[in-house]
Short mmCIF file of all heavy atoms in Angstrom, two decimals:
data_model
loop_
_atom_site.label_atom_id
_atom_site.label_comp_id
_atom_site.label_asym_id
_atom_site.label_seq_id
_atom_site.Cartn_x
_atom_site.Cartn_y
_atom_site.Cartn_z
N ILE A 360 -6.94 -28.17 8.41
CA ILE A 360 -7.96 -27.48 7.60
C ILE A 360 -7.84 -27.96 6.16
O ILE A 360 -6.74 -28.32 5.71
CB ILE A 360 -7.80 -25.95 7.68
CG1 ILE A 360 -9.04 -25.25 7.11
CG2 ILE A 360 -6.52 -25.49 6.97
CD1 ILE A 360 -9.09 -23.76 7.42
N ALA A 361 -8.96 -27.99 5.47
CA ALA A 361 -8.98 -28.37 4.06
C ALA A 361 -9.55 -27.21 3.25
O ALA A 361 -10.52 -26.55 3.67
CB ALA A 361 -9.84 -29.61 3.85
N LEU A 362 -8.94 -26.96 2.11
CA LEU A 362 -9.41 -25.95 1.17
C LEU A 362 -9.68 -26.63 -0.17
O LEU A 362 -8.83 -27.37 -0.67
CB LEU A 362 -8.37 -24.84 0.98
CG LEU A 362 -7.91 -24.11 2.24
CD1 LEU A 362 -6.78 -23.13 1.90
CD2 LEU A 362 -9.05 -23.38 2.92
N LEU A 363 -10.84 -26.40 -0.72
CA LEU A 363 -11.22 -27.00 -2.00
C LEU A 363 -11.66 -25.89 -2.94
O LEU A 363 -12.54 -25.08 -2.61
CB LEU A 363 -12.37 -27.99 -1.81
CG LEU A 363 -12.93 -28.63 -3.09
CD1 LEU A 363 -11.89 -29.54 -3.74
CD2 LEU A 363 -14.21 -29.40 -2.78
N THR A 364 -11.04 -25.83 -4.13
CA THR A 364 -11.39 -24.79 -5.09
C THR A 364 -11.65 -25.36 -6.47
O THR A 364 -10.87 -26.19 -6.97
CB THR A 364 -10.27 -23.72 -5.19
OG1 THR A 364 -10.59 -22.80 -6.23
CG2 THR A 364 -8.92 -24.36 -5.47
N PRO A 365 -12.73 -24.96 -7.12
CA PRO A 365 -12.92 -25.31 -8.53
C PRO A 365 -11.77 -24.75 -9.35
O PRO A 365 -11.14 -23.76 -8.96
CB PRO A 365 -14.25 -24.64 -8.90
CG PRO A 365 -14.93 -24.39 -7.60
CD PRO A 365 -13.85 -24.15 -6.60
N HIS A 366 -11.51 -25.36 -10.49
CA HIS A 366 -10.43 -24.92 -11.36
C HIS A 366 -10.88 -23.71 -12.17
O HIS A 366 -10.96 -23.74 -13.41
CB HIS A 366 -10.01 -26.08 -12.27
CG HIS A 366 -8.82 -25.80 -13.11
ND1 HIS A 366 -8.36 -26.68 -14.06
CD2 HIS A 366 -7.97 -24.74 -13.18
CE1 HIS A 366 -7.30 -26.19 -14.67
NE2 HIS A 366 -7.05 -25.00 -14.15
N GLU A 367 -11.19 -22.65 -11.46
CA GLU A 367 -11.63 -21.40 -12.07
C GLU A 367 -11.11 -20.23 -11.25
O GLU A 367 -11.04 -20.32 -10.02
CB GLU A 367 -13.17 -21.33 -12.13
CG GLU A 367 -13.83 -22.37 -13.02
CD GLU A 367 -13.60 -22.15 -14.50
OE1 GLU A 367 -13.17 -21.03 -14.86
OE2 GLU A 367 -13.87 -23.08 -15.29
N GLN A 368 -10.77 -19.15 -11.91
CA GLN A 368 -10.40 -17.94 -11.20
C GLN A 368 -11.65 -17.32 -10.59
O GLN A 368 -12.64 -17.10 -11.29
CB GLN A 368 -9.71 -16.95 -12.14
CG GLN A 368 -9.50 -15.57 -11.55
CD GLN A 368 -8.70 -15.57 -10.26
OE1 GLN A 368 -8.00 -16.52 -9.96
NE2 GLN A 368 -8.81 -14.51 -9.49
N GLN A 369 -11.62 -17.08 -9.28
CA GLN A 369 -12.75 -16.50 -8.59
C GLN A 369 -12.28 -15.45 -7.59
O GLN A 369 -11.22 -15.62 -6.98
CB GLN A 369 -13.52 -17.58 -7.82
CG GLN A 369 -14.06 -18.72 -8.65
CD GLN A 369 -14.78 -19.73 -7.80
OE1 GLN A 369 -15.79 -19.45 -7.17
NE2 GLN A 369 -14.22 -20.94 -7.74
N PRO A 370 -13.05 -14.41 -7.37
CA PRO A 370 -12.70 -13.40 -6.37
C PRO A 370 -13.20 -13.80 -4.99
O PRO A 370 -14.13 -13.19 -4.45
CB PRO A 370 -13.41 -12.15 -6.89
CG PRO A 370 -14.63 -12.69 -7.57
CD PRO A 370 -14.23 -14.01 -8.17
N VAL A 371 -12.64 -14.86 -4.44
CA VAL A 371 -13.10 -15.37 -3.15
C VAL A 371 -11.97 -15.31 -2.12
O VAL A 371 -10.79 -15.28 -2.47
CB VAL A 371 -13.62 -16.82 -3.26
CG1 VAL A 371 -14.82 -16.88 -4.18
CG2 VAL A 371 -12.52 -17.76 -3.76
N LYS A 372 -12.33 -15.32 -0.86
CA LYS A 372 -11.39 -15.37 0.24
C LYS A 372 -11.10 -16.83 0.58
O LYS A 372 -11.93 -17.72 0.32
CB LYS A 372 -11.94 -14.66 1.47
CG LYS A 372 -12.34 -13.21 1.24
CD LYS A 372 -11.12 -12.36 0.90
CE LYS A 372 -11.52 -10.88 0.81
NZ LYS A 372 -10.36 -10.03 0.46
N TRP A 373 -9.95 -17.08 1.18
CA TRP A 373 -9.55 -18.46 1.46
C TRP A 373 -10.58 -19.17 2.33
O TRP A 373 -10.86 -20.36 2.13
CB TRP A 373 -8.17 -18.49 2.13
CG TRP A 373 -8.15 -17.95 3.53
CD1 TRP A 373 -7.87 -16.68 3.92
CD2 TRP A 373 -8.41 -18.69 4.72
NE1 TRP A 373 -7.96 -16.56 5.28
CE2 TRP A 373 -8.27 -17.77 5.81
CE3 TRP A 373 -8.73 -20.01 5.00
CZ2 TRP A 373 -8.48 -18.16 7.13
CZ3 TRP A 373 -8.94 -20.39 6.32
CH2 TRP A 373 -8.81 -19.47 7.37
N TYR A 374 -11.16 -18.46 3.31
CA TYR A 374 -12.08 -19.11 4.24
C TYR A 374 -13.40 -19.51 3.59
O TYR A 374 -14.13 -20.35 4.11
CB TYR A 374 -12.33 -18.22 5.46
CG TYR A 374 -12.68 -16.79 5.16
CD1 TYR A 374 -13.98 -16.42 4.78
CD2 TYR A 374 -11.72 -15.80 5.26
CE1 TYR A 374 -14.29 -15.11 4.50
CE2 TYR A 374 -12.03 -14.46 4.98
CZ TYR A 374 -13.32 -14.13 4.61
OH TYR A 374 -13.63 -12.82 4.34
N GLU A 375 -13.69 -18.93 2.42
CA GLU A 375 -14.88 -19.33 1.69
C GLU A 375 -14.68 -20.69 1.01
O GLU A 375 -15.66 -21.30 0.54
CB GLU A 375 -15.24 -18.27 0.65
CG GLU A 375 -15.59 -16.92 1.24
CD GLU A 375 -15.88 -15.89 0.17
OE1 GLU A 375 -17.05 -15.80 -0.26
OE2 GLU A 375 -14.93 -15.16 -0.22
N LEU A 376 -13.45 -21.14 0.94
CA LEU A 376 -13.12 -22.43 0.31
C LEU A 376 -12.90 -23.53 1.35
O LEU A 376 -12.63 -24.68 0.99
CB LEU A 376 -11.87 -22.28 -0.55
CG LEU A 376 -11.92 -21.21 -1.64
CD1 LEU A 376 -10.55 -21.05 -2.29
CD2 LEU A 376 -12.98 -21.55 -2.69
N ALA A 377 -13.00 -23.18 2.62
CA ALA A 377 -12.71 -24.14 3.69
C ALA A 377 -13.85 -25.14 3.87
O ALA A 377 -15.02 -24.78 3.92
CB ALA A 377 -12.46 -23.39 5.00
N ILE A 378 -13.49 -26.40 3.97
CA ILE A 378 -14.43 -27.48 4.27
C ILE A 378 -13.76 -28.40 5.28
O ILE A 378 -12.56 -28.26 5.57
CB ILE A 378 -14.83 -28.29 3.01
CG1 ILE A 378 -13.59 -28.93 2.36
CG2 ILE A 378 -15.55 -27.39 2.01
CD1 ILE A 378 -13.92 -29.84 1.19
N THR A 379 -14.49 -29.35 5.84
CA THR A 379 -13.85 -30.30 6.74
C THR A 379 -12.99 -31.26 5.93
O THR A 379 -13.25 -31.51 4.74
CB THR A 379 -14.88 -31.10 7.55
OG1 THR A 379 -15.59 -31.98 6.66
CG2 THR A 379 -15.85 -30.19 8.28
N ILE A 380 -11.99 -31.80 6.56
CA ILE A 380 -11.15 -32.79 5.90
C ILE A 380 -11.97 -34.04 5.58
O ILE A 380 -11.76 -34.69 4.55
CB ILE A 380 -9.92 -33.13 6.76
CG1 ILE A 380 -9.06 -31.87 6.95
CG2 ILE A 380 -9.08 -34.25 6.13
CD1 ILE A 380 -7.88 -32.04 7.89
N ASP A 381 -12.93 -34.37 6.44
CA ASP A 381 -13.84 -35.49 6.16
C ASP A 381 -14.57 -35.28 4.83
O ASP A 381 -14.71 -36.22 4.03
CB ASP A 381 -14.87 -35.63 7.28
CG ASP A 381 -14.33 -36.37 8.49
OD1 ASP A 381 -13.33 -37.10 8.34
OD2 ASP A 381 -14.91 -36.23 9.58
N GLU A 382 -15.04 -34.06 4.60
CA GLU A 382 -15.75 -33.77 3.35
C GLU A 382 -14.82 -33.92 2.15
O GLU A 382 -15.22 -34.45 1.11
CB GLU A 382 -16.33 -32.35 3.40
CG GLU A 382 -17.49 -32.20 4.38
CD GLU A 382 -17.95 -30.77 4.53
OE1 GLU A 382 -17.07 -29.87 4.63
OE2 GLU A 382 -19.16 -30.53 4.56
N LEU A 383 -13.59 -33.46 2.31
CA LEU A 383 -12.63 -33.59 1.21
C LEU A 383 -12.32 -35.06 0.94
O LEU A 383 -12.13 -35.46 -0.22
CB LEU A 383 -11.35 -32.83 1.53
CG LEU A 383 -10.30 -32.81 0.41
CD1 LEU A 383 -10.84 -32.14 -0.84
CD2 LEU A 383 -9.02 -32.10 0.88
#
Side-chain angles (χ1 to χ4, degrees):
I360 193 168
L362 304 175
L363 176 67
T364 174
H366 186 185
E367 296 289 345
Q368 170 57 19
Q369 302 179 63
V371 297
K372 304 295 186 181
W373 70 267
Y374 48 80
E375 297 177 88
L376 304 172
I378 60 175
T379 68
I380 297 175
D381 279 340
E382 290 173 317
L383 184 61

